[in-house]
Amino acid sequence: FSIDDETGDMWLGDVGDSEREEIDRVPAGAQGANLGWYWFEGTRQRVAGAPADVLPPVWEYTHETGYAVVGGFAYRGSAIPALRGAYVFGDVNGTLWALGADGVHTLPVAFKTLVAFGEAPDGELWVADHYGTVARLVPG
């Protein structure tokens, strides 16, 4: 998970169980948010009896698209203005996405076995893969 320095929102890449991966956003000040596990996997209900206060994911995908979400950061850098404010995240399969006000977009970059994101003090993002590659996201 990460906290957006500008809004205070918490973003989570929530690894699923057997079918879905999800992205959750907990608004600043919403302490104790219930993200729905064990009643839901993403928006798919697993068992009945969920409490009414479950906060649904802001985006999800099935295992036909990826295998395990890798949480990232809300982009607050200046090198890629089109990403400003978007939540950048990926999947272990190497796909990177940006979730912004206009939806989810696949970024034109891929990594082998994505494992982590990092954020520099200037808000620029870094990505690491299982094979030792560490790269800064830059404009294409």
Side-chain angles (χ1 to χ4, degrees):
F1 74 92
S2 62
I3 306 294
D4 182 341
D5 291 335
E6 194 168 295
T7 66
D9 294 348
M10 179 170 50
W11 288 91
L12 301 97
D14 190 351
V15 175
D17 180 36
S18 61
E19 293 183 21
R20 297 171 188 233
E21 307 298 306
E22 68 184 77
I23 299 298
D24 299 305
R25 183 183 65 84
V26 178
Q31 297 177 356
N34 182 342
L35 301 179
W37 184 256
Y38 108 117
W39 300 280
F40 292 92
E41 181 180 10
T43 57
R44 183 184 70 84
Q45 187 171 357
R46 298 174 64 240
V47 296
D53 66 346
V54 169
L55 184 65
V58 294
W59 196 65
E60 67 182 333
Y61 60 96
T62 69
H63 286 176
E64 293 175 3
T65 299
Y67 310 105
V69 67
V70 178
F73 293 87
Y75 180 74
R76 296 298 176 189
S78 59
I80 313 171
L83 284 183
R84 182 124 176 96
Y87 178 66
V88 178
F89 63 100
D91 188 90
V92 296
N93 71 8
T95 305
L96 271 65
W97 292 285
L99 170 60
D102 61 345
V104 177
H105 303 279
T106 303
L107 298 180
V109 60
F111 287 82
K112 281 186 158 188
T113 316
L114 177 69
V115 295
F117 284 86
E119 181 183 39
D122 63 0
E124 299 302 331
L125 299 183
W126 292 77
V127 182
D129 73 16
H130 180 72
Y131 298 97
T133 301
V134 177
R136 180 178 170 190
L137 292 182
V138 296

